[in-house]
Amino acid sequence: MAKKRDVRVALTDLVGGGVRYLAGAQKTDGSFAGAVWSDLAYHVPHFDYHAGGSHHFRTPGSSGLAFLKVADRLPELDLRRKAEHAYDWICTCQHDDGGLFEITNNDRPSQFHLDYERSAISLGMVTQGMFKAIGLGLEKKPQYVDFLIKAAEWQMTVEVAPGNFLHSEGYPEQYVILNANAHAAETLQIAATLTDDADQAVAWRSGAERAIGAILSAQRSSGMFPYRTPDEGQHTISYTATCVWVLQNLIDAGMLPRETVERQIRHACSFLADSVDEQGRLLWEGREVHGQKYHTWVYGMVMRCLTWWRHPDWDEDAERALSFVHGELFNPTVGLARLYDFPLGEDRVVCGHPCVAAEEYACAFNQADLLDCLIDVESLLCG
């Protein structure tokens, strides 16, 4: 087990570096003022990080929340204002129907199945980040409440069957995408606390229950939550962690009774703990078939899911993963952990596309998601 001092040092390095990078990457003027620019970007559908920079719409959700969590620690960075600036900007990106594009690749919207489409993923990340940020003191501006209400309205339009909330417009409707359901459930529960319409609140909470029910019913005997059902070999560490993380967030917010899901999320966390090897590396082979494979941000979410329990064995698994990220992936000169977790110069194939491990750091959504989770891990492990 890692020594507490080593844990503190690793978290101080990773959190401090992540905050400074994201704060420095935020645009301060022009039409994108408030957005966090990323030199490296997840360009779809080819998983190409070198096709030009991007504004990823999920990034304000994670980075703005992270800024508020550590604002008092780094007053010189004016992080409260930066968080507000991020959420102000993302409100301008929401469509009239409440939807939000997942990413813009040099200002061209995401294209997974349609020419232009909205996605539950970025919308959900922003929704939970903005709502939590308000709880941490972000001014509850009318446009924020409007954003959250409209997000729920959009989510209800993409429930194509009971408990099947689409990942994105145009997604094949025969599949239930579990992480999309998770984000839908959280968005609906959040908006239900804000609306003045009692009937609407009931409808949204019922939708959240359907979404969560679909997630729980898909759990495999290993504890894993697959990416989608029908399963068809959709093994995944990353989406298991995402589903657990959202359910834990709902429990923490008092929006989901712990006793109704504790057995299932404990089982899922057992799968996640078993996915960390003795060196702290995630066991991707045979356990991940999606685009998040080898990605550093997944470590942060796995650590957050495990440390949430305050279970000594799972804390130890999380600390090994932390030690690996800090010792093998972190560059103290840059202040960040690199994008992929396999050895430099080696190549891998992800979803049929080749990728090579290089000294790559400036990917804002990767760093924002990692940072937000690590701040929680720091609080849980170090107090």
Side-chain angles (χ1 to χ4, degrees):
M1 187 171 183
K3 295 178 181 178
K4 282 299 179 185
R5 181 183 179 280
D6 295 337
V7 169
R8 288 183 181 276
V9 168
L11 286 165
T12 297
D13 286 348
L14 288 162
V15 169
V19 170
R20 288 181 172 84
Y21 158 67
L22 290 166
Q26 187 178 46
K27 295 291 187 180
T28 57
D29 53 29
S31 60
F32 288 100
V36 180
W37 172 258
S38 186
D39 295 327
L40 293 172
Y42 191 76
H43 288 257
V44 294
H46 299 300
F47 305 98
D48 181 3
Y49 281 90
H50 300 279
S54 161
H55 296 95
H56 201 306
F57 290 126
R58 72 189 283 171
T59 308
S62 298
S63 58
L65 180 58
F67 289 163
L68 280 170
K69 287 177 178 177
V70 298
D72 292 339
R73 189 189 311 181
L74 298 164
E76 70 277 10
L77 295 181
D78 196 17
L79 294 174
R80 292 188 185 279
R81 174 57 191 145
K82 288 185 175 295
E84 181 182 16
H85 209 188
Y87 293 124
D88 286 350
W89 174 75
I90 200 64
C91 284
T92 70
C93 302
Q94 188 178 36
H95 298 275
D96 290 340
D97 64 2
L100 189 71
F101 288 139
E102 182 154 0
I103 184 174
T104 58
N105 298 332
N106 285 330
D107 306 333
R108 183 180 183 184
S110 51
Q111 294 176 279
F112 291 91
H113 302 281
L114 303 176
D115 285 343
Y116 301 104
E117 60 198 38
R118 297 151 176 81
S119 164
I121 311 308
S122 284
L123 186 66
M125 295 294 288
V126 172
T127 297
Q128 72 93 23
M130 185 182 291
F131 182 73
K132 285 184 178 179
I134 291 171
L136 290 176
L138 178 73
E139 181 185 350
K140 191 177 178 180
K141 295 182 180 181
Q143 64 261 41
Y144 298 162
V145 175
D146 186 56
F147 182 99
L148 297 170
I149 294 292
K150 286 169 62 179
E153 291 173 346
W154 180 83
Q155 284 289 2
M156 293 298 287
T157 69
V158 294
E159 187 184 18
V160 294
N164 182 5
F165 292 82
L166 291 182
H167 172 286
S168 54
E169 295 171 321
Y171 203 96
E173 295 183 9
Q174 69 266 33
Y175 297 116
V176 178
I177 308 302
L178 269 62
N179 70 313
N181 264 23
H183 290 302
E186 189 169 30
T187 297
L188 293 169
Q189 286 283 21
I190 286 170
T193 70
L194 299 171
T195 182
D196 295 325
D197 186 327
D199 291 337
Q200 191 175 57
V202 169
W204 287 346
R205 290 193 175 103
S206 296
E209 290 174 3
R210 292 192 297 274
I212 292 170
I215 293 169
L216 299 180
S217 67
Q219 189 172 35
R220 298 298 175 247
S221 59
S222 64
M224 178 200 70
F225 290 118
Y227 170 65
R228 72 185 186 199
T229 61
D231 185 344
E232 301 173 357
Q234 298 291 307
H235 308 300
T236 173
I237 296 171
S238 62
Y239 288 117
T240 297
T242 299
C243 290
V244 169
W245 177 66
V246 171
L247 293 173
Q248 289 173 342
N249 287 337
L250 287 170
I251 292 170
D252 289 342
M255 298 175 180
L256 179 64
R258 180 171 178 146
E259 62 273 13
T260 63
V261 294
E262 181 163 1
R263 178 180 60 83
Q264 292 95 332
I265 63 173
R266 186 181 292 274
H267 194 191
C269 283
S270 179
F271 168 81
L272 295 175
D274 289 342
S275 299
V276 180
D277 73 12
E278 289 302 313
Q279 287 71 48
R281 188 190 300 268
L282 290 177
L283 295 169
W284 298 111
E285 305 309 321
R287 292 183 174 230
E288 184 66 65
V289 296
H290 285 282
Q292 290 74 18
K293 193 172 186 177
Y294 309 120
H295 278 63
T296 306
W297 72 264
V298 181
Y299 283 83
M301 194 165 283
V302 169
M303 287 184 243
R304 165 61 162 73
C305 291
L306 294 178
T307 55
W308 183 85
W309 294 95
R310 303 320 325 269
H311 186 292
D313 290 341
W314 289 352
D315 281 356
E316 183 175 350
D317 294 322
E319 288 173 11
R320 284 204 317 278
L322 174 65
S323 180
F324 170 75
V325 171
H326 185 251
E328 300 297 326
L329 307 180
F330 180 73
N331 183 330
T333 301
V334 177
L336 300 171
R338 59 186 174 85
L339 186 62
Y340 292 127
D341 73 346
F342 54 92
L344 288 170
E346 292 189 12
D347 58 6
R348 298 285 190 276
V349 175
V350 178
C351 295
H353 299 284
C355 57
V356 178
E359 292 283 357
E360 299 172 322
Y361 303 95
C363 181
F365 97 84
N366 178 82
Q367 298 296 344
D369 289 355
L370 177 64
L371 172 65
D372 182 50
C373 286
L374 286 180
I375 292 170
D376 289 348
V377 170
E378 182 180 46
S379 176
L380 290 163
L381 288 180
C382 303

